Amino acid sequence: MKQRLGFAFMLAFILTLLGASAASAADFRTDTSITIGEGEVIDDDLYLLGTTLVINGTVNGDVFAAGTTVRINGTVNGNVSLAGESVTIDGTVSQGARVAANDFFMSGSVGQDLLLLGNTNAIGSSAVIGRDLILTVSSMTIDGTIERRIAGVADMVTHNGSVGAEFDISVGDLIITDGASIGGDLTYRSEKEAEIAGGAEIGGETTQEMAAETDDIDVGFSFDSIAFGVAGLIMTAVYGTVLLLIFPRLSVTASNQLLENPLMSIGMGIVFLIVVPIVSILVMITVVGIPLGLIALLLYGIALFSAQVFVGLTIGRLILSFFADGKRRLIQFFGLLIGLLILYGISFIPYVGPWAPLIVVILGLGGLMMAIGRLRHEPARGTPQPAEG
């Protein structure tokens, strides 16, 4: 019973990563830094989890990669699904690409569609997308070639390249330069008129549709931030207490991992935070994968909320270890409350407070995943002895 939550979470994560289809063979690699060498050929689907992921060789299958930095310099004879802080495609992807990144750059080629979710993005002058570019981004610069159409949502788009068919976008600012060409209609929804240079070539009609305006709504009352925070603190403390009672081994092991391996916990937390929602959404593209994706997202939400419990428990145990035996169950409950109070106080510190929730989530998720990995290789027994603070 004590391991069921951990095993269920790990199982849902693995199944989500694999997707709806049951692949008979695949190459799985996890490490801080992974490089597929120039002469290396992989004749399977390739799954990569790590910090720095580089493909210089050839993959004769699909690629699923999630890390801080992801680069494809070689050839992928299949589809790619990539998630990372920085993602680059300088090589060749023979089929489609699905990318979620803070910064994305492409100078290579994608044979079919590119589905892009990101912040700062650029399609270089040598880049070629064989079919459609579908995007939801903050800013996008297009210097390359899109063989068919562009569609999506963006805050700002600068188009210097070539689009074979229509260009349909909801945008804040749209700039079409002298060297740009659009084979079909240009339709944009924006409150601002697009900047279209006289030398730009547009094969069809240009239509501006005004973006829908949303009026501010006065609800007549506001929540006091302190009262709201206290209510959240109480709810988290109750939830954490229940978690400690029902799953003491998982909770204490996650706390131990944060004490023993904080850097590894950060790395695992970053990867897990990025990959699960992206892959879950991608899985739900197929009808068969919808239930699996929804389950994974539900468990992901539980893990996000639980992260603060593991971090609070760790802080409290570390402090109380100077005054009492941290192995006692009662001390663990007091430690949880003290740790959560400290996290609540940190949230009011200028400059530090706004970043605290993200740091807590990363640490807590990392500790949880490391705890699950450790418990999977240990026989069931009583609550483990906590590490000395």
Side-chain angles (χ1 to χ4, degrees), residues 170-236:
S170 297
V171 65
D173 295 281
L174 177 61
I175 301 173
I176 311 293
T177 66
D178 276 323
S181 67
I182 300 172
D185 296 336
L186 169 60
T187 303
Y188 65 99
R189 285 158 296 282
S190 176
E191 296 180 2
K192 300 179 182 179
E193 185 176 353
E195 298 179 24
I196 303 176
E201 298 179 2
I202 301 177
E205 296 182 354
T206 298
T207 304
Q208 178 185 9
E209 300 175 359
M210 296 302 294
E213 296 184 3
T214 302
D215 295 331
D216 293 333
I217 300 175
D218 184 4
V219 297
F221 64 91
S222 61
F223 290 102
D224 183 86
S225 59
I226 296 179
F228 188 80
V230 170
L233 176 63
I234 294 173
M235 182 176 66
T236 305

Side-chain angles (χ1 to χ4, degrees), residues 298-368:
L298 175 62
L299 292 174
Y300 179 72
I302 294 174
L304 289 178
F305 190 77
S306 302
Q308 58 190 321
V309 173
F310 303 134
V311 176
L313 176 62
T314 303
I315 293 173
R317 287 177 56 206
L318 188 61
I319 293 174
L320 291 181
S321 65
F322 294 100
F323 307 100
D325 183 4
K327 299 177 183 179
R328 300 173 120 188
R329 180 67 61 83
L330 187 60
I331 295 301
Q332 293 173 10
F333 291 120
F334 278 120
L336 172 63
L337 181 58
I338 291 172
L340 291 177
L341 283 169
I342 291 174
L343 291 178
Y344 177 64
I346 290 174
S347 67
F348 290 95
I349 299 177
Y351 303 107
V352 176
W355 293 97
L358 177 61
I359 296 172
V360 168
V361 165
I362 289 174
L363 282 169
L365 286 179
L368 173 62

Side-chain angles (χ1 to χ4, degrees), residues 82-93:
L82 313 174
E85 174 69 20
S86 173
V87 175
T88 304
I89 299 178
D90 288 335
T92 300
V93 177

Side-chain angles (χ1 to χ4, degrees), residues 161-172:
S162 172
V163 180
E166 67 269 18
F167 193 146
D168 188 330
I169 192 164
S170 297
V171 65

Side-chain angles (χ1 to χ4, degrees), residues 265-280:
S265 297
I266 291 173
M268 289 288 291
I270 291 173
V271 171
F272 191 78
L273 181 66
I274 294 172
V275 70
V276 172
I278 300 302
V279 177
S280 298

Side-chain angles (χ1 to χ4, degrees), residues 226-296:
I226 296 179
F228 188 80
V230 170
L233 176 63
I234 294 173
M235 182 176 66
T236 305
V238 172
Y239 173 79
T241 301
V242 173
L243 197 63
L244 266 175
L245 286 171
I246 300 177
F247 302 104
R249 192 169 176 224
L250 176 66
S251 302
V252 175
T253 303
S255 176
N256 286 343
Q257 293 304 306
L258 289 175
L259 289 170
E260 298 167 3
N261 303 294
L263 293 179
M264 183 64 73
S265 297
I266 291 173
M268 289 288 291
I270 291 173
V271 171
F272 191 78
L273 181 66
I274 294 172
V275 70
V276 172
I278 300 302
V279 177
S280 298
I281 293 171
L282 293 177
V283 167
M284 288 191 289
I285 292 175
T286 64
V287 175
V288 177
I290 290 176
L292 182 62
L294 291 175
I295 291 172

